[in-house]
Amino acid sequence: MKQNQPLHSRTPNRRRTRRENDLFFRCMVFVNVLGWFAFIGALLVFHNARPEFVSGVQAFWGLEGRQEWSQTLSVYLVALLALCVVISVAVLIMKRFRNRREKDHFGINGYVLLITAISSLIILYFEFNP
C-alpha cells in the first residue's frame, strides 16, 4: 500500500522542518563562514605584503624599511580576495534559491563581504597600476 501514496507524503516537508536541521542551510552557513575565514586570511597577508612604515626614529638612525609591496604576497592577497568574491556570490545565489518567504532573513553579511572584497581588489588594482 505504501507504493500508492503520493510522492509529497513520502518526502519530508521542508517548510515544517527547522532551518538548522536542513542540510542545504548548513552547507550555506559553512560556505559563508569559509568566505569570512578567507577574508581574515587576506587581512593577515595584507599586513605582511604592504610597504613598511618608516618612523622618524628609524629615519634618524638610518634604518631602512621596505618601500614597495611584496610581489609574492601580493599575488596571494589578490587570490584570497578573489576567492572571497566567488564565495560571497555563491552564498548569495544559494540564499536566492532558498529564501522565498517573507519571514526569511535577508543576510546582509554576504553583501558586506562582496562589497568589501571587490572594493579591496579595485584599490589594489589602482595601487599596482598608477
Side-chain angles (χ1 to χ4, degrees), residues 20-123:
E20 293 81 16
N21 296 337
D22 187 20
L23 181 64
F24 187 79
F25 179 76
R26 286 182 181 180
C27 290
M28 187 172 55
V29 169
F30 175 75
V31 171
N32 196 5
V33 170
L34 185 70
W36 282 103
F37 277 126
F39 186 72
I40 291 172
L43 288 176
L44 294 173
V45 171
F46 169 77
H47 177 70
N48 292 324
R50 67 183 174 171
E52 295 176 358
F53 176 73
V54 179
S55 66
V57 175
Q58 287 175 320
F60 178 76
W61 289 103
L63 300 173
E64 295 183 14
R66 190 180 71 229
Q67 297 297 321
E68 64 277 339
W69 286 79
S70 172
Q71 293 299 321
T72 56
L73 291 177
S74 298
V75 172
Y76 292 130
L77 177 61
V78 171
L80 282 171
L81 288 172
L83 179 67
C84 288
V85 169
V86 169
I87 287 175
S88 62
V89 167
V91 167
L92 292 175
I93 290 172
M94 291 169 79
K95 284 184 181 181
R96 175 69 62 176
F97 282 118
R98 183 48 57 109
N99 292 345
R100 295 183 181 169
R101 291 174 277 180
E102 285 184 23
K103 61 182 179 179
D104 286 339
H105 299 289
F106 183 65
I108 192 76
N109 60 3
Y111 293 105
V112 170
L113 181 62
L114 180 68
I115 291 170
T116 307
I118 287 175
S119 61
S120 299
L121 284 172
I122 291 171
I123 290 170

